[in-house]
Amino acid sequence: MATTTSHATNTWIKTKLSMPSSKEFGVASNSISLLKNQHNRQSLNINSSLQAPPILHFPKQSSNYQTPKNNTISHPKQENNNSSSSSTSKWNLVQKAAAMALDAVESALTKHELEHPLPKTADPRVQISGNFAPVPENPVCQSLPVTGKIPKCVQGVYVRNGANPLFEPTAGHHFFDGDGMVHAVQFKNGSASYACRFTETERLVQEKALGRPVFPKAIGELHGHSGIARLMLFYARGLFGLVDHSKGTGVANAGLVYFNNRLLAMSEDDLPYHVKVTPTGDLKTEGRFDFDGQLKSTMIAHPKLDPVSGELFALSYDVIQKPYLKYFRFSKNGEKSNDVEIPVEDPTMMHDFAITENFVVIPDQQVVFKMSEMIRGGSPVVYDKNKVSRFGILDKYAKDGSDLKWVEVPDCFCFHLWNAWEEPETDEIVVIGSCMTPPDSIFNECDEGLKSVLSEIRLNLKTGKSTRKSIIENPDEQVNLEAGMVNRNKLGRKTEYAYLAIAEPWPKVSGFAKVNLFTGEIEKFIYGDNKYGGEPLFLPRDPNSKEEDDGYILAFVHDEKEWKSELQIVNAMSLKLEATVKLPSRVPYGFHGTF
């Protein structure tokens, strides 16, 4: 029997969420027609949305959101009103007057925005529907039911990050905009516990104190003239001391890395946050982490931990001012190197990069930031068709960027790079990544079907030329592969296997694929009927094992028919299900994890 030490705090998703039921959707073979909505918008037609499945599923609230069994529900609306009163009571008359005026302007702006259909990339009814919807925090639940047997080597804590908005969106919202929430399963001697907690970012803390969202949402709101207006409102609140943006505005919802005895939660718009796992398996935010004052800029969500040296390598990008891109590293003891400026002409979307034994591989691709597009009424995230994608190769211990070598890779956009290694006999760097088309489909509305092709990119350091090919050559076996990893003990070295999410039907994940990177052979593990998951995590059984695939795959899986979630543990060599841990509450689809 599972036992709960205390009861989950409920959120707006239980008491306030208002979404159209499935009856309010006219469903055709390739389109969805939204017939009515609470804001009296025009009808919204979604044609084969890249950001939503062909049929949106809005389960009933009773099955969608779990309620503590004794029905003791703490309503944040009341809590937030109290905390809001406490916060605003400290304001002087000028601040109170400014707050009222700015709130009135924001209300008028929101009303104006909702008079027009939102693009599906910013419509919360699309972005956070079904199991993409948020959940309340869940304190530790011990002794979870287990089917099968948890392998002996699975000892420790599996943690996964995700976007989980605390407050109901009032206007535009992209899935990536949600507040960070970490889900943790702790394994001890064949038993498992579960907890999930918000990462208490400075943004979240201030919004909780005010009782509502006030920080602008980077993707869902910051586009066009209304985006400029929201930025002006935000900084006006800062000038009057109503909010403090000097301590960061990030959501820490994307990546996780365990480095130098600290678990760090990250998104590329801020510094990392230190999250502590307690002995009981609960989670506690220790605070914004600047490596003892050494890190003074943002850090991307995918730093690379070298399995041999124990060093951490990272990038930082700026969308406003030069230098637009910087590279740095940390020793295994947490000592930061000097920043190395990477010369790029425009601010570039830099979600991921790669390392080899001796080099860092830095993509400079066609998705760029152009803030001037907001003045023209568009999105600042732009697909620049005139730009030629390229990869930069730099010595890992370079003190400056003078020896950086660029190799062009035309028409290539990899949101994620899974690994890279050196092949000295041919003077090549081999990069493994998923090439995505259209490149900006995640951020901007697009009718073209998304493809994510696992690819081998070879960068010849002698000739300066590149080649690119699909690793899975049989077109009948080609599937969208996104989110995953290689054996972390082989990162930066030649690897035979990659374990990647089968992102079909997009944006859901129906299973994972084990791909032989040398032969292109693909083996698939499907989670089950009406079951979908996310990123597969490969956990080595023994770091000294001679077999690269000797280990287990861990993945959160949600049953959309029964509306229950579980953690599946799969033998990576045989692809046989070893154990299933039944979870006490729903786990939304999310982003990246670690163990």
Side-chain angles (χ1 to χ4, degrees), residues 9-13 64-66 131-138 163-166 181 183 194 196 198 585-588:
T9 301
N10 212 7
T11 65
W12 63 269
I13 57 177
N64 196 345
Y65 307 111
Q66 292 79 17
N131 194 44
F132 291 94
V135 294
E137 289 187 324
N138 198 320
N164 198 88
L166 174 63
M181 174 176 275
H183 301 259
Y194 168 80
C196 66
F198 282 104
S585 59
R586 181 171 65 86
V587 177

Side-chain angles (χ1 to χ4, degrees), residues 498-513:
Y499 309 91
L500 303 168
I502 300 174
E504 294 184 0
W506 179 264
K508 296 180 183 179
V509 171
S510 56
F512 68 84

